[in-house]
Amino acid sequence: MKRQDGAQLGAGCCTQQPEETLQRSKKIQVLNVPAILPEQRTLDKLIIHFQARNNGGGEVSDMEYPTTVAGRAFITFAKEEDADNVLKREQILKLDQQDYKLDVREVGGGETEQVIEFVSTKLDTRDFPSKMARQLIHEHRFQIVSDQGSTVEIRGSFSSLKELRRNLMDVIMPQSTRE
């Protein structure tokens, strides 16, 4: 019989092997990854960010970026506890002196993965107080696809779009007047 270090163990050996604790890896999903840098540079920045202890990270064993969905990455941590620590913290990625809030989520092992649908829509900002709509678009981390004066085409998750709609409705028609 051979140990992992290659040394031979005899049939009647009385020495015990040290107990090894098996580390389980864990995969997470990262959304709202900004597309402002070349893909390889973004990939490098994500790896550095998620390996940093001050972000709750640890050893990254695998990274999937880009994926079939724009703004999404999958990261596999060598240790489950590192992934859990990342999920507990707010993740702010710094790129070119700008902060980007990342949305980190658990990816189920045998469970059905949560599907994040991205949508695009056009918003006419004329009906909102000066720059209020644009401020809300920025706060909800939408990607601006095109900007043509008062009409802005935005792209983001469907759930974020619903939240943006609620916030915009509150601006033009406070909830007390809607009831």
Short mmCIF file of all heavy atoms in Angstrom, two decimals, residues 81-110:
data_model
loop_
_atom_site.label_atom_id
_atom_site.label_comp_id
_atom_site.label_asym_id
_atom_site.label_seq_id
_atom_site.Cartn_x
_atom_site.Cartn_y
_atom_site.Cartn_z
N GLU A 81 -16.41 27.12 2.92
CA GLU A 81 -16.50 28.21 3.89
C GLU A 81 -16.13 29.56 3.27
O GLU A 81 -16.70 30.59 3.63
CB GLU A 81 -15.65 27.93 5.12
CG GLU A 81 -14.15 27.97 4.86
CD GLU A 81 -13.34 27.59 6.08
OE1 GLU A 81 -13.16 26.39 6.31
OE2 GLU A 81 -12.88 28.51 6.78
N ASP A 82 -15.20 29.57 2.30
CA ASP A 82 -14.85 30.83 1.64
C ASP A 82 -16.03 31.35 0.81
O ASP A 82 -16.32 32.55 0.82
CB ASP A 82 -13.61 30.65 0.75
CG ASP A 82 -12.34 30.40 1.57
OD1 ASP A 82 -12.29 30.83 2.75
OD2 ASP A 82 -11.41 29.79 1.02
N ALA A 83 -16.70 30.44 0.10
CA ALA A 83 -17.87 30.84 -0.68
C ALA A 83 -18.96 31.38 0.25
O ALA A 83 -19.59 32.40 -0.04
CB ALA A 83 -18.39 29.66 -1.48
N ASP A 84 -19.17 30.71 1.38
CA ASP A 84 -20.17 31.17 2.34
C ASP A 84 -19.84 32.55 2.88
O ASP A 84 -20.72 33.39 3.06
CB ASP A 84 -20.31 30.17 3.49
CG ASP A 84 -20.94 28.85 3.05
OD1 ASP A 84 -21.63 28.82 2.01
OD2 ASP A 84 -20.73 27.84 3.75
N ASN A 85 -18.55 32.80 3.15
CA ASN A 85 -18.12 34.12 3.63
C ASN A 85 -18.38 35.20 2.58
O ASN A 85 -18.82 36.31 2.91
CB ASN A 85 -16.64 34.11 4.01
CG ASN A 85 -16.38 33.33 5.27
OD1 ASN A 85 -17.25 33.19 6.12
ND2 ASN A 85 -15.17 32.82 5.40
N VAL A 86 -18.12 34.89 1.32
CA VAL A 86 -18.37 35.85 0.23
C VAL A 86 -19.86 36.17 0.13
O VAL A 86 -20.25 37.32 -0.05
CB VAL A 86 -17.84 35.29 -1.11
CG1 VAL A 86 -18.41 36.04 -2.30
CG2 VAL A 86 -16.31 35.34 -1.14
N LEU A 87 -20.70 35.15 0.27
CA LEU A 87 -22.14 35.34 0.17
C LEU A 87 -22.70 36.21 1.30
O LEU A 87 -23.73 36.85 1.13
CB LEU A 87 -22.85 33.98 0.15
CG LEU A 87 -22.63 33.16 -1.11
CD1 LEU A 87 -23.09 31.72 -0.89
CD2 LEU A 87 -23.35 33.78 -2.30
N LYS A 88 -22.02 36.25 2.43
CA LYS A 88 -22.49 37.02 3.59
C LYS A 88 -22.15 38.50 3.48
O LYS A 88 -22.69 39.30 4.23
CB LYS A 88 -21.86 36.47 4.87
CG LYS A 88 -22.35 35.11 5.27
CD LYS A 88 -21.59 34.62 6.48
CE LYS A 88 -21.89 33.16 6.76
NZ LYS A 88 -21.01 32.61 7.80
N ARG A 89 -21.23 38.85 2.60
CA ARG A 89 -20.74 40.23 2.53
C ARG A 89 -21.23 40.93 1.28
O ARG A 89 -21.46 40.31 0.25
CB ARG A 89 -19.22 40.25 2.51
CG ARG A 89 -18.62 39.70 3.76
CD ARG A 89 -17.13 39.82 3.72
NE ARG A 89 -16.56 39.21 4.91
CZ ARG A 89 -15.32 39.37 5.27
NH1 ARG A 89 -14.52 40.10 4.54
NH2 ARG A 89 -14.87 38.79 6.35
N GLU A 90 -21.29 42.26 1.39
CA GLU A 90 -21.56 43.07 0.20
C GLU A 90 -20.28 43.06 -0.62
O GLU A 90 -19.19 43.27 -0.09
CB GLU A 90 -21.94 44.49 0.61
CG GLU A 90 -22.27 45.37 -0.57
CD GLU A 90 -22.72 46.75 -0.14
OE1 GLU A 90 -21.93 47.45 0.55
OE2 GLU A 90 -23.84 47.13 -0.50
N GLN A 91 -20.39 42.80 -1.90
CA GLN A 91 -19.22 42.72 -2.77
C GLN A 91 -19.17 43.93 -3.69
O GLN A 91 -20.06 44.12 -4.52
CB GLN A 91 -19.26 41.42 -3.59
CG GLN A 91 -19.21 40.17 -2.75
CD GLN A 91 -17.91 40.03 -1.97
OE1 GLN A 91 -16.84 40.40 -2.43
NE2 GLN A 91 -18.02 39.50 -0.76
N ILE A 92 -18.15 44.73 -3.51
CA ILE A 92 -17.94 45.93 -4.33
C ILE A 92 -16.65 45.72 -5.12
O ILE A 92 -15.57 45.62 -4.53
CB ILE A 92 -17.83 47.21 -3.47
CG1 ILE A 92 -19.04 47.36 -2.55
CG2 ILE A 92 -17.62 48.43 -4.36
CD1 ILE A 92 -20.35 47.62 -3.25
N LEU A 93 -16.78 45.65 -6.44
CA LEU A 93 -15.63 45.48 -7.32
C LEU A 93 -15.13 46.85 -7.76
O LEU A 93 -15.92 47.67 -8.25
CB LEU A 93 -16.03 44.63 -8.53
CG LEU A 93 -14.94 44.34 -9.56
CD1 LEU A 93 -13.85 43.45 -8.96
CD2 LEU A 93 -15.56 43.66 -10.78
N LYS A 94 -13.85 47.10 -7.57
CA LYS A 94 -13.26 48.38 -7.98
C LYS A 94 -12.57 48.20 -9.33
O LYS A 94 -11.67 47.39 -9.44
CB LYS A 94 -12.27 48.87 -6.94
CG LYS A 94 -12.91 49.21 -5.61
CD LYS A 94 -11.89 49.76 -4.64
CE LYS A 94 -12.44 50.01 -3.28
NZ LYS A 94 -13.59 50.87 -3.20
N LEU A 95 -13.05 48.94 -10.32
CA LEU A 95 -12.45 48.92 -11.66
C LEU A 95 -12.23 50.34 -12.12
O LEU A 95 -13.17 51.15 -12.13
CB LEU A 95 -13.37 48.21 -12.66
CG LEU A 95 -13.67 46.73 -12.44
CD1 LEU A 95 -14.65 46.24 -13.50
CD2 LEU A 95 -12.40 45.92 -12.50
N ASP A 96 -11.03 50.63 -12.51
CA ASP A 96 -10.70 51.96 -13.03
C ASP A 96 -11.25 53.08 -12.16
O ASP A 96 -11.94 53.98 -12.63
CB ASP A 96 -11.18 52.11 -14.48
CG ASP A 96 -10.38 51.23 -15.43
OD1 ASP A 96 -9.29 50.78 -15.04
OD2 ASP A 96 -10.86 50.98 -16.55
N GLN A 97 -10.98 53.00 -10.85
CA GLN A 97 -11.35 54.00 -9.87
C GLN A 97 -12.86 54.19 -9.73
O GLN A 97 -13.32 55.25 -9.33
CB GLN A 97 -10.66 55.32 -10.17
CG GLN A 97 -9.15 55.19 -10.17
CD GLN A 97 -8.47 56.45 -10.64
OE1 GLN A 97 -9.09 57.46 -10.90
NE2 GLN A 97 -7.15 56.38 -10.75
N GLN A 98 -13.63 53.16 -10.06
CA GLN A 98 -15.08 53.22 -9.90
C GLN A 98 -15.53 51.96 -9.17
O GLN A 98 -14.96 50.89 -9.36
CB GLN A 98 -15.78 53.33 -11.26
CG GLN A 98 -17.27 53.51 -11.12
CD GLN A 98 -17.86 54.37 -12.20
OE1 GLN A 98 -17.16 54.84 -13.08
NE2 GLN A 98 -19.15 54.57 -12.14
N ASP A 99 -16.55 52.11 -8.32
CA ASP A 99 -17.08 50.98 -7.56
C ASP A 99 -18.31 50.40 -8.26
O ASP A 99 -19.18 51.15 -8.71
CB ASP A 99 -17.49 51.42 -6.15
CG ASP A 99 -16.30 51.81 -5.30
OD1 ASP A 99 -15.15 51.56 -5.72
OD2 ASP A 99 -16.51 52.37 -4.21
N TYR A 100 -18.37 49.06 -8.31
CA TYR A 100 -19.49 48.35 -8.91
C TYR A 100 -19.99 47.33 -7.90
O TYR A 100 -19.23 46.47 -7.45
CB TYR A 100 -19.08 47.65 -10.20
CG TYR A 100 -18.65 48.61 -11.27
CD1 TYR A 100 -17.31 48.99 -11.40
CD2 TYR A 100 -19.58 49.17 -12.14
CE1 TYR A 100 -16.92 49.89 -12.37
CE2 TYR A 100 -19.19 50.07 -13.11
CZ TYR A 100 -17.86 50.43 -13.22
OH TYR A 100 -17.46 51.32 -14.18
N LYS A 101 -21.27 47.42 -7.54
CA LYS A 101 -21.84 46.48 -6.59
C LYS A 101 -22.19 45.20 -7.33
O LYS A 101 -22.96 45.20 -8.29
CB LYS A 101 -23.09 47.05 -5.93
CG LYS A 101 -23.65 46.15 -4.86
CD LYS A 101 -24.81 46.79 -4.13
CE LYS A 101 -25.21 45.92 -2.98
NZ LYS A 101 -26.50 45.34 -3.09
N LEU A 102 -21.61 44.09 -6.88
CA LEU A 102 -21.88 42.79 -7.48
C LEU A 102 -22.99 42.10 -6.70
O LEU A 102 -23.10 42.25 -5.48
CB LEU A 102 -20.62 41.92 -7.44
CG LEU A 102 -19.40 42.47 -8.16
CD1 LEU A 102 -18.20 41.56 -7.94
CD2 LEU A 102 -19.68 42.64 -9.64
N ASP A 103 -23.81 41.35 -7.38
CA ASP A 103 -24.87 40.57 -6.77
C ASP A 103 -24.38 39.13 -6.73
O ASP A 103 -24.22 38.51 -7.79
CB ASP A 103 -26.15 40.71 -7.61
CG ASP A 103 -27.33 39.98 -7.01
OD1 ASP A 103 -27.22 39.41 -5.91
OD2 ASP A 103 -28.39 39.97 -7.67
N VAL A 104 -24.09 38.61 -5.54
CA VAL A 104 -23.59 37.24 -5.41
C VAL A 104 -24.69 36.35 -4.88
O VAL A 104 -25.40 36.72 -3.95
CB VAL A 104 -22.32 37.16 -4.52
CG1 VAL A 104 -21.14 37.82 -5.20
CG2 VAL A 104 -22.55 37.77 -3.16
N ARG A 105 -24.82 35.17 -5.49
CA ARG A 105 -25.88 34.23 -5.12
C ARG A 105 -25.35 32.82 -5.11
O ARG A 105 -24.43 32.48 -5.84
CB ARG A 105 -27.03 34.31 -6.13
CG ARG A 105 -27.66 35.66 -6.20
CD ARG A 105 -28.69 35.74 -7.26
NE ARG A 105 -29.21 37.10 -7.32
CZ ARG A 105 -30.42 37.40 -7.74
NH1 ARG A 105 -31.22 36.46 -8.15
NH2 ARG A 105 -30.81 38.65 -7.76
N GLU A 106 -26.00 32.01 -4.31
CA GLU A 106 -25.64 30.60 -4.23
C GLU A 106 -26.16 29.87 -5.46
O GLU A 106 -27.21 30.19 -5.99
CB GLU A 106 -26.27 30.01 -2.97
CG GLU A 106 -25.60 28.77 -2.50
CD GLU A 106 -25.96 28.44 -1.05
OE1 GLU A 106 -26.27 29.35 -0.27
OE2 GLU A 106 -25.90 27.24 -0.74
N VAL A 107 -25.40 28.89 -5.92
CA VAL A 107 -25.83 28.03 -7.01
C VAL A 107 -26.12 26.68 -6.39
O VAL A 107 -25.25 26.10 -5.74
CB VAL A 107 -24.74 27.89 -8.11
CG1 VAL A 107 -25.15 26.88 -9.16
CG2 VAL A 107 -24.48 29.23 -8.75
N GLY A 108 -27.33 26.18 -6.56
CA GLY A 108 -27.72 24.92 -5.94
C GLY A 108 -27.00 23.74 -6.56
O GLY A 108 -26.78 23.68 -7.76
N GLY A 109 -26.61 22.77 -5.72
CA GLY A 109 -25.93 21.56 -6.19
C GLY A 109 -26.83 20.75 -7.10
O GLY A 109 -26.66 20.71 -8.30
N GLY A 110 -27.80 20.04 -6.52
CA GLY A 110 -28.71 19.24 -7.33
C GLY A 110 -30.01 19.96 -7.59
O GLY A 110 -30.88 19.47 -8.27
#
